[in-house]
Amino acid sequence: MNQVSTVNQVIAFDIGGTNSRIALFEHGKIVWRDEAPTPAQQGPQAIIETMLTLLRPIYAVNASIGVAIAAQVVGDVVNAGNESILRGWNNFPLAAALAEKTLRTANMISVVNDARAAAWGEYVGGSGCGSEQFLFVTISTGIGAGLVLNGRLHLARNGYEAELGETRTETGAMLEDLASGTALARVALQNGYASGKLLCDAADAGDSRAEALYRHGIKEVAKKLADLVVMLGVEKVAIGGGLGLRPGYLQRLNDEMRKFPRIYHCTLVAASLGHDAGLCGVAALTKRDYPVAMMTNQNPSLSSYRT
């Protein structure tokens, strides 16, 4: 198949524990997208096959590829410490493997942690615009974060640059074990609620016991955010993720933050790019100075793009 090349195109992947998404960007806008379930427990090769299947309709586009993935990334090598999210990723050279499979040179493939990509997406084209000290937090199956300091995405050499979910709480447990969607689902079952969603529904309906259980994890998140505000001068925090974007979550979190002295306060907002944050961020990071536009009112489909 002949490949069509343009410097104004980027192919972006967002590989999560539940779904894998792909988008084609042209001049900073999504013109085509698709998604598929992530074979999260089947190892890297199965996920690569899923990515290649998603890529097939636009294979002729000879554009750089950016991958955001729910794992630690060091120099394009991927490690997934939490095997309940992605299994079998131990020092896996994802960029090199994709370059070989897609007939691209290594410098055409870039890989970054998904939360860091989402943070950059929100910073350049979403709720983080205008804030030089910005934190993005996703609260979903797990808890991830990305940090922008002085207008630059913070990336550490060892890959541990904003692992909020793995920070320790007063009990010694990780924040992710107390405040994630997975943790809430476990607490719900332990206390007679059929699911985390039903526990949240009960809290919204005025069930005081459900409200206390719901707020327990939120209080832990608030403590961590307060620490980061005074440690790093964070001005704005955007909350995303399936649980974080649930109606009522942000207000509860804001309530807990306001219980602290004023020096621990910051602006709390909902992440505005939704599921597109990681795609937009990794597209922008793959091509430096690439203009990424918000796509809140557009949903290009498979049939809308032809090579």
Side-chain angles (χ1 to χ4, degrees):
M1 182 183 293
N2 293 327
Q3 292 191 321
V4 180
S5 178
T6 170
V7 296
N8 292 313
Q9 292 179 314
V10 179
I11 297 169
F13 282 97
D14 188 355
I15 310 300
T18 303
N19 292 307
S20 294
R21 298 181 176 87
I22 185 175
L24 175 64
F25 285 77
E26 288 185 354
H27 303 284
K29 294 185 178 181
I30 296 175
V31 297
W32 174 88
R33 68 169 78 231
D34 200 359
E35 65 179 73
T38 302
Q41 298 301 302
Q42 298 177 35
Q45 295 301 334
I47 289 179
I48 287 176
E49 289 304 315
T50 296
M51 295 173 72
L52 293 175
T53 299
L54 288 169
L55 182 64
R56 190 170 297 135
I58 56 169
Y59 187 82
V61 178
N62 188 28
S64 295
I65 295 176
V67 182
I69 186 167
Q72 179 197 30
V73 179
V74 179
D76 296 335
V77 173
V78 177
N79 284 281
N82 188 345
E83 293 218 331
S84 67
I85 297 176
L86 293 178
R87 182 176 297 277
W89 291 75
N90 300 308
N91 292 319
F92 187 81
L94 179 57
L98 268 183
E100 179 182 356
K101 293 286 188 178
T102 62
L103 304 179
R104 284 168 168 78
T105 58
N107 64 2
M108 293 182 70
I109 312 286
S110 61
V111 184
V112 67
N113 171 272
D114 62 339
R116 262 62 100 193
W120 192 245
E122 289 286 345
Y123 175 72
V124 300
S127 58
C129 288
S131 177
E132 293 294 289
Q133 320 298 328
F134 171 68
L135 177 69
F136 167 80
V137 180
T138 176
I139 302 172
S140 191
T141 304
I143 294 178
L147 185 62
V148 176
L149 295 175
N150 298 320
R152 297 174 64 89
L153 181 65
H154 176 57
L155 295 174
R157 201 171 278 185
N158 64 3
Y160 290 110
E161 48 261 337
E163 293 296 343
L164 188 65
E166 296 187 8
T167 58
R168 295 289 172 176
T169 63
E170 293 174 8
T171 66
M174 293 192 303
L175 180 64
E176 195 167 71
D177 293 335
L178 297 181
S180 65
T182 302
L184 188 64
R186 184 182 66 251
V187 167
L189 292 174
Q190 290 171 345
N191 288 274
Y193 299 91
S195 68
K197 178 183 183 302
L198 290 178
L199 184 152
C200 294
D201 289 344
D204 291 342
D207 182 330
S208 60
R209 181 164 169 265
E211 181 69 28
L213 293 170
Y214 189 11
R215 282 191 181 256
H216 177 72
I218 294 174
K219 289 178 180 179
E220 295 297 332
V221 174
K223 292 175 187 176
K224 292 296 181 181
L225 297 185
D227 286 343
L228 290 173
V229 167
V230 293
M231 287 179 63
L232 300 173
V234 171
E235 301 164 341
K236 182 184 284 187
V237 178
I239 304 296
L243 179 57
L245 289 174
R246 179 187 167 92
Y249 185 97
L250 188 65
Q251 183 58 57
R252 288 176 172 91
L253 180 58
N254 195 57
D255 291 344
E256 297 302 326
M257 291 288 289
R258 294 304 174 215
K259 293 177 182 178
F260 302 136
R262 184 174 294 275
I263 63 167
Y264 298 102
H265 295 179
C266 65
T267 300
L268 289 178
V269 296
S272 61
L273 295 182
H275 292 311
D276 287 345
L279 293 169
C280 290
V282 78
L285 289 166
T286 299
K287 280 197 176 293
R288 301 291 177 178
D289 302 321
Y290 194 65
V292 173
M294 290 176 62
M295 298 297 297
T296 53
N297 297 316
Q298 299 184 51
N299 187 29
S301 63
L302 183 68
S303 61
S304 68
Y305 183 78
R306 294 289 184 270
T307 56

